[in-house]
Amino acid sequence: MTRKALLVFVVLGSLLLSEGGRVHPSSASQACAQPTKLVLVRHGQTDWNARGLLQGNAEVPLDETGRAQARSLAHAVAGKRVDAVYSSPLSRAYETALAIAEARGLAVGRRAELREIGVGIYTGLRLARIPADVRTAWSANPDFPMPPGVPEATASAEPAYVEGRRFEGESLNMVLERSWRDLRDLGRQHCGQTVVVVTHGGVIQIALTQASGLAVTRYRAFPVSNASQTILEYRSDGSVAVLPDW
């Protein structure tokens, strides 16, 4: 390449970068000037909820009470603004989300990062069946994970949902990292809008620790009932507020 041709190439490249070829920051990385509301909904009741069994990522469907709760929830929010609906990929959350979305002609986007806390080999057991030292370590140490693996079906009160299936085990920080990041991504993606997110009790409790400026190990300070609504408002200064209503 001659010296003259090289000069032309450099000038053209500079023009492209300063005009049509400029790389703009993605909208996800820009601060939103308007408040964005995420309405976190815990799924309706399942039979395992009623029986006090740890569901984790087992595919346990809504029971009749849970389906009625989903319908009542859809009716309760019928007059409110909803721009988009998302859910955990687990069926109990997705079915709850459908009740809200279908009445509005909206699709439900499934978000894998909003699944319930993985409790590994303890999936399907009552909390009291987990060894006391494991329970204590998991609650107090945010980096202590539940052991992953295939639950012992004979120990479960409902073996059909766990038999032969391997479940991940997670620590509080593992759940915090994936779920809180995903909620913030949704907030940026839907700047100025109101979004319903149907997820799980553990995810909502952990989100509330972050919105309240508390350690993730304080999650038990926030009881979250089936079909309840928790409203987070993401603000332009980067803060997150918990609202009483929406």
Side-chain angles (χ1 to χ4, degrees), residues 49 80 187 207 219:
N49 286 139
K80 296 180 182 288
Y219 69 98

Side-chain angles (χ1 to χ4, degrees), residues 48-245:
W48 280 24
N49 286 139
R51 297 166 65 186
L53 303 180
L54 294 172
Q55 297 179 103
N57 290 304
E59 273 291 5
V60 185
L62 298 180
D63 61 14
E64 286 305 314
T65 297
R67 293 188 183 96
Q69 288 173 333
R71 291 191 296 269
S72 295
L73 183 62
H75 178 74
V77 304
K80 296 180 182 288
R81 173 183 174 180
V82 176
D83 297 295
V85 180
Y86 292 92
S87 87
S88 150
L90 294 169
S91 61
R92 57 189 182 270
Y94 184 70
E95 186 176 352
T96 305
L98 277 179
I100 299 170
E102 286 183 336
R104 302 167 181 271
L106 296 173
V108 177
R110 299 196 196 203
R111 309 281 291 199
E113 303 305 317
L114 299 178
R115 64 193 181 277
E116 181 58 293
I117 298 169
V119 292
I121 62 173
Y122 302 122
T123 304
L125 299 183
R126 290 181 172 83
L127 183 62
R129 295 287 304 277
I130 299 177
D133 59 333
V134 175
R135 293 201 309 268
T136 299
W138 189 85
S139 296
N141 180 355
D143 292 315
F144 182 91
M146 288 292 190
V150 179
E152 184 183 346
T154 55
S156 172
E158 192 70 49
Y161 292 114
V162 301
E163 193 167 12
R165 297 174 184 162
R166 187 182 189 281
F167 294 96
E168 66 178 329
E170 294 183 290
S171 67
L172 287 168
N173 272 343
M174 289 167 69
V175 182
L176 167 62
E177 181 179 351
R178 63 167 165 84
S179 61
W180 187 241
R181 180 183 63 242
D182 204 50
L183 291 173
R184 281 195 169 276
D185 285 348
L186 285 175
R188 287 189 290 265
Q189 181 182 337
H190 291 278
C191 175
Q193 296 184 331
T194 299
V195 180
V196 170
V197 180
V198 184
T199 180
H200 304 271
V203 170
I204 298 172
Q205 288 176 301
I206 287 173
L208 283 169
T209 66
Q210 302 310 290
S212 303
L214 298 176
V216 68
T217 51
R218 296 285 305 280
Y219 69 98
R220 287 182 177 172
F222 304 99
V224 178
S225 58
N226 288 111
S228 62
Q229 302 172 54
T230 299
I231 301 91
L232 300 183
E233 183 175 77
Y234 290 77
R235 297 174 173 172
S236 59
D237 62 0
S239 65
V240 182
V242 182
L243 303 184
D245 201 359

